[in-house]
Amino acid sequence: TATATATETRAVFQPSPNTTTFTATTEMVVLFLRPKSLPPQKLGKLINQNLDAELLCDMVTVLARDFVPSNLAVMPLLAGLARVPRFDTTLMFLEDEELAKVKGLFDMLEASGADGGQPLDKTQLQALGKTYGVR
């Protein structure tokens, strides 16, 4: 018979520290969203498999609140976020009010006509809007 001590049981169920992956919190992701902090294509590594509706909506809120009014580039971040594992699954579980936040961000971008000080590529915005399910 195999009986495990408390220490052995904790060792089995307690995750060991790993510097290559961690659970992304909204605060960490927002910190890395700041310009020149993290290339958008690296969002997948930061978020790993931990994208959920709450994190996605928090990120969209920060982009709409801080990035668009400050004329910071949003499109590369949205494109990078769309490549994160579980992105499609997360979109399927968004509630109507959460999807409205995402649509609101795309509407803000379209109304501003610019992204990061550059003219907005409306074709790219439409394609990305389809990926997010809001166009």
Side-chain angles (χ1 to χ4, degrees):
T1 67
T3 57
T5 66
T7 303
E8 291 170 327
T9 304
R10 271 195 300 268
V12 170
F13 293 107
Q14 183 176 345
S16 61
N18 184 343
T19 57
T20 59
T21 61
F22 56 90
T23 302
T25 64
T26 302
E27 294 80 20
M28 284 191 293
V29 173
V30 168
L31 177 67
F32 284 108
L33 285 179
R34 294 289 171 212
K36 299 181 183 174
S37 293
L38 179 77
Q41 59 271 25
K42 299 282 186 180
L43 278 174
K45 271 202 177 283
L46 174 68
I47 296 172
N48 198 12
Q49 299 287 328
N50 300 311
L51 184 64
D52 61 14
E54 182 181 354
L55 180 60
L56 177 62
C57 287
D58 287 348
M59 291 170 61
V60 165
T61 299
V62 168
L63 292 173
R65 183 189 67 216
D66 298 338
F67 280 62
V68 175
S70 299
N71 207 22
L72 299 171
V74 173
M75 295 289 286
L77 294 169
L78 290 173
L81 191 55
R83 290 189 294 270
V84 168
R86 294 179 33 109
F87 175 79
D88 295 333
T89 306
T90 300
L91 282 181
M92 288 190 316
F93 289 102
L94 289 182
E95 295 184 20
D96 290 341
E97 68 182 46
E98 295 167 328
L99 198 54
K101 286 182 182 182
V102 176
K103 185 179 181 329
L105 175 60
F106 278 86
D107 291 345
M108 285 178 72
L109 280 169
E110 190 169 33
S112 75
D115 182 43
Q118 302 296 318
L120 183 65
D121 181 344
K122 296 206 182 229
T123 305
Q124 184 184 13
L125 181 68
Q126 279 297 113
L128 205 49
K130 285 181 183 177
T131 301
Y132 276 80
V134 295
R135 294 280 186 254

